[in-house]
Amino acid sequence: MNANLPPIQKVLFDEATIQKRIKELADEITADYEDILAIIVLKGSMFFATDLLKHITVPVEIDTMHLGSYGMKGMKSEAVRLNNDIVSSIEGRNVLILEDIVDTGKTMKYIHELFALRNPASVKLCSLLSKPSKREIEIDIDYLGFEIPDAFVVGYGFDYKEKYRTLRDIVVMEPE
Ligand code: 5GP
């Protein structure tokens, strides 16, 4: 690991545990849908989304959106910014949002409000992780991988300053 980066504290979910849970989620989703428009929320959920979607056996179309934040990091005033919108029309479609983590809930509130204006047939959320102790806005998660405590995680799509995304495990990083 790079000496300039904070050290890894412990493995929270190893590769086998993550992949097993993803297969279970994919089976649940397959049972609930006849067709899906999957929206991958970049960049954090790209590894999760591609692994999950490969196990889904009903027809799937894929689009991506890229969200970021602006304002003071970690402060209540921090707000969501849309860097890149989806290209598809979601009107009349069964939309499944694939998110890496629901933390405060601000990102999901933003997406729900945006999509509500576009008349989809349904919108559901599948999130790999949830940190309920950090929630500021109530969010229904239809398909959830794992609940985690209030810790900063990296790996398997999760970054620290754009590093660590490619780790196969989800690990806890020691704060700076
Ligand atoms: P929100 O607070 O809007 O629910 O989540 C915003 C974003 O914060 C998530 O999509 C994710 O990118 C990032 N985030 C929240 N918790 C963590 C974490 O523990 N590790 C990393 N790498 N990103 C996180």
Side-chain angles (χ1 to χ4, degrees):
M1 285 295 160
N2 189 324
N4 297 321
L5 293 169
I8 300 299
Q9 217 173 21
K10 63 167 181 175
V11 174
L12 198 55
F13 303 110
D14 66 15
E15 186 180 11
T17 306
I18 297 167
Q19 294 303 329
K20 179 170 175 284
R21 184 71 190 118
I22 284 177
K23 174 71 169 69
E24 290 168 358
L25 288 176
D27 290 345
E28 251 187 83
I29 292 166
T30 297
D32 289 352
Y33 281 91
E34 285 179 4
D35 64 89
I36 300 170
L37 174 57
I39 309 289
I40 303 174
V41 183
L42 299 174
K43 301 177 199 169
S45 66
M46 48 187 186
F47 293 82
F48 165 52
T50 52
D51 285 342
L52 179 91
L53 292 172
K54 283 184 279 187
H55 290 298
I56 292 178
T57 55
V58 293
V60 178
E61 283 176 43
I62 301 171
D63 206 337
T64 59
M65 66 194 304
H66 186 197
L67 295 164
S69 59
Y70 66 93
M72 291 287 282
K73 262 257 164 289
M75 303 299 281
K76 288 241 188 245
S77 59
E78 192 179 351
V80 179
R81 178 174 63 195
L82 183 63
N83 292 331
N84 270 107
D85 202 348
I86 52 172
V87 176
S88 330
S89 165
I90 62 169
E91 189 165 353
R93 304 297 304 273
N94 292 310
V95 172
L96 180 64
I97 300 164
L98 302 179
E99 179 57 301
D100 54 357
I101 186 167
V102 182
D103 187 22
T104 63
K106 283 183 188 174
T107 304
M108 277 317 306
K109 178 171 183 272
Y110 181 94
I111 297 174
H112 278 312
E113 285 176 357
L114 188 69
F115 284 7
L117 305 170
R118 300 178 179 180
N119 299 316
S122 67
V123 177
K124 284 194 188 182
L125 168 63
C126 176
S127 182
L128 178 58
L129 303 182
S130 172
K131 262 188 221 175
S133 61
K134 295 282 292 297
R135 204 76 90 246
E136 292 173 23
I137 299 155
E138 203 185 310
I139 299 292
D140 287 333
I141 305 176
D142 302 282
Y143 307 97
L144 173 64
F146 307 98
E147 254 184 27
I148 64 165
D150 180 10
F152 189 78
V153 295
V154 296
Y156 197 63
F158 292 93
D159 76 309
Y160 173 77
K161 297 185 178 173
E162 294 303 324
K163 300 286 194 306
Y164 291 120
R165 286 197 203 275
T166 52
L167 298 181
R168 288 165 182 238
D169 303 330
I170 296 175
V171 302
V172 175
M173 174 174 271
E174 224 162 73
E176 276 179 301

